[in-house]
Amino acid sequence: MATADIAARRRAGVMAALVMLVVLLVLISLGVGPVRLSPVSVIDALFGGGSDVQQVIVREIRLPRTILGFAIGAMLGLSGAAMQGLLRNPLAAPELFGAPQSAAFGAVLVIAFGLADVRSYALPVAAIAAAFASVFALLAIAGRNAGLLILILAGLAISSLAGAATALVMNLSSNPFVVLEITFWLLGSLDDRSLRHVVLALPFIVAGAVILLSQRHAFRVLSLGEETAQSLGVDVGRLRLMVISGVALGVGGAVAVSGSIGFIGLVAPHLMRPLLGHDPARLLVPSALTGAALLLAADIAVRIIPSTSDIKVGVLTSIIGVPFFLYLIMRERRALSGGVA
């Protein structure tokens, strides 16, 4: 009983620390830019105080970017934890299996051929459809009990196909300005986002998050194995479809306004496991908050790193995420070698 109480207090402490960290990063994000504002000035401007200039800067310029940073980061972290819980594999994440790349391809397709502009609701719909197809293809190709190697190979194939298809669409486009816009957009960025982009993406992100969180108890049972989960009343096929739908909705909506931002979904759950354990149900919300904190911190970093041009946040997350991914692969290899020995 004492051990359970200690674990519960630890979880509560971790959650409180995450919430405070996210709030702090939100205030910093709203204050960082060409015009630096203190946290007190940011709070005043949010609630109608301060000068008119400060209110415009905080409410109209920086607030949409910060909302999207929080929402997209949370969705990516939540999707990563859900994918890892579904596949019972610590290397599972949307970007490793082509969901963001496929969503980008769907969005690029409608932009390049003039079917929609960057503020049309056709954009997230196309991105969601492509993300849904990629996750479904992964589960169909790799199978229910796929090992690490099969998952990585299947994800690499889907990601490569989506990337090649995106390049083909760009090559076939006759408008060089559209190609330039798509190129910068694919790098992943929250620059120049407005409330229109928030309205565009947030409903899909919220819907995806609700779907994934509604399955949290099924993830816990599934960790015992598919046969055990089915004997305890979990419809594994329905769970798989719900996770595919939730990831596709959330990631598709996110990519439609931010472009490809990688490795948040992979890193966030791994940061929480040493603190909260391996229960997939308890990792969902902390992973979402961690993902939000990671993306907010990365977006703050690209604004304060000295450079002659804007650094895209997707580039920064990939630079950090790829070494982390390689470390995880090496750790899994050592674990498998130890098990064989």
Side-chain angles (χ1 to χ4, degrees), residues 84 90-91 263-274 294 317-331:
Q84 291 174 17
L91 294 181
F263 293 98
I264 297 290
L266 175 69
V267 173
H270 282 280
L271 293 178
M272 289 295 100
R273 282 196 183 90
L294 288 173
T317 58
S318 295
I319 289 173
I320 297 172
V322 169
F324 187 85
F325 177 52
L326 295 176
Y327 159 74
L328 292 177
I329 292 178
M330 294 177 64
R331 191 178 70 177

